[in-house]
Structures are given as C-alpha cells and as structure tokens.
C-alpha cells in the first residue's frame, strides 16, 4: 500500500514535470512548445517555423500524462512505465533533430544551448520509470499475499495425508463412534480398536 502511494505521487510529479517542460526554454531560449512535432520525424531536423500549441512537442507529453493517470487509477505499473518511455523517447528524439540542425548540442553558463526545459522533461521521464518500479500493482495487496501463502488444495482423488495406507490415526483423532465397532450409516461392521493398556480415558 505504501509503495503504491509513493509510486503514484512520483508518477504525478513526473507527469506534471513533463507537461510543464515545453513551457520552459529548450534551446537558445526557445520554448519547447514552439518546436513542431512534425519536425522530429523529418530528415532535415527542426526548423524555425513556430508550431501551434497542440502541434508541438507538448502533445506527446500530454498523452503521457493521460497514460500516467490511467496507470495510477488502474494500479498498472506497465502503463506508468509506458508513459515514462514516451517522455524520454520524444526528448531524446528532439535532441537528435536539434543536433542535426545545429551541427551539435551545446551548453554554456550564459543560458545558450540546452535549456532547463529539456532537463525538466528528462527528469519527468526518469521519475515515471522510478514510480513504475516502486508501484506493486494489483497483486501487491493483502489479498495477493494471502493467496501466495495459502497452501495448495489437494487434487480430486488425492489420498495423500498425514497417515499412509494401513496407518491408523492416534486415539485422540479417532471418532467416538468407532467405539461401537460400526461406522455411522453403514451396516457393515468395521475394524474395532482396542483401548491401549492402562488408558482409563
């Protein structure tokens, strides 16, 4: 239960960071939401054309956030992990396309090159993967533990037990009806047991 809660909190933080990252500077002060999503799949790399809001890199991050919410509600580790993979995949793809257009990626102390938005997106994807590892999923509750600890039920026709063929149960475990020499509900006499010597019970 605690791991599910902690994983859900980290997943929400990671998804929020991924969605917020396009509104921060990604490269040379240019916001991530200004990069067209179609440029990531073109051979020439990114261009200077300004993208519409939901035609930018924001779109896959919003999809990842929706997948994250579904994973939290369904307690699905695979969905949360999928959201993390989506965020990291589009972040790395963006870096590849920008590197093609700029002939390399740079970072300096003046704010040029890679910006805080890329770091935010990358960190959000990593948090989503960590959250998927922490979450226990549906089988992590008390019911799942009880099922794992419950002994297997014998198969039909299985005569195995604590006493093998020809062995008799101890005196304390024998039915009181055996004293009459007959089993209840049966006309055929059964083998009687004899009271052990010195046993006055």
């Amino acid at each position: 239960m605690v791991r599910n809660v902690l994983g859900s909190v980290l997943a929400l933080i990671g998804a929020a960071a991924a969605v917020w990252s396009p509104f921060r500077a990604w490269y040379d002060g240019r916001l991530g939401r200004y990069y067209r999503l179609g440029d990531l799949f073109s051979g020439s790399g990114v261009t200077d054309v300004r993208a519409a809001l939901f035609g930018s890199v924001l779109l896959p991050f919003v999809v990842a956030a929706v997948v994250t919410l579904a994973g939290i509600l369904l307690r699905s580790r695979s969905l949360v992990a999928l959201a993390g993979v989506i965020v990291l995949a589009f972040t790395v793809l963006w870096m590849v396309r920008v590197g093609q257009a700029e002939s390399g990626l740079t970072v300096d102390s003046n704010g040029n090159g890679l910006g805080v938005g890329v770091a935010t997106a990358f960190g959000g994807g990593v948090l989503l993967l960590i959250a998927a590892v922490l979450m226990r999923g549906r089988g992590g509750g008390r019911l799942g533990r009880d099922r794992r600890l419950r002994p297997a039920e014998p198969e039909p026709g299985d005569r195995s037990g604590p006493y093998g063929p020809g062995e008799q149960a101890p005196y304390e475990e024998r039915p009181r009806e055996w004293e009459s020499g007959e089993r209840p509900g049966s006309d055929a006499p059964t083998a009687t047991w004899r009271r052990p010597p010195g046993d006055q019970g």
Side-chain angles (χ1 to χ4, degrees), residues 4-66:
N4 276 333
V5 173
L6 182 59
S8 298
V9 172
L10 288 180
L12 289 175
I13 295 175
V19 173
W20 176 245
S21 65
F23 298 92
R24 308 296 300 274
W26 276 48
Y27 199 81
D28 286 343
R30 185 179 180 183
L31 302 183
R33 64 188 181 92
Y34 293 158
Y35 289 95
R36 295 194 308 173
L37 184 61
D39 290 345
L40 303 185
F41 301 96
S42 63
S44 59
V46 298
T47 63
D48 294 333
V49 179
R50 185 169 176 173
L53 183 60
F54 286 100
S56 66
V57 295
L58 174 65
L59 180 59
F61 294 159
V62 171
V63 173
V66 173

Side-chain angles (χ1 to χ4, degrees), residues 98-122:
V98 171
Q100 289 179 346
E102 301 291 337
S103 299
L105 300 175
T106 60
V107 179
D108 59 32
S109 58
N110 296 324
N112 298 323
L114 292 175
V116 67
V118 179
T120 304
F122 193 84

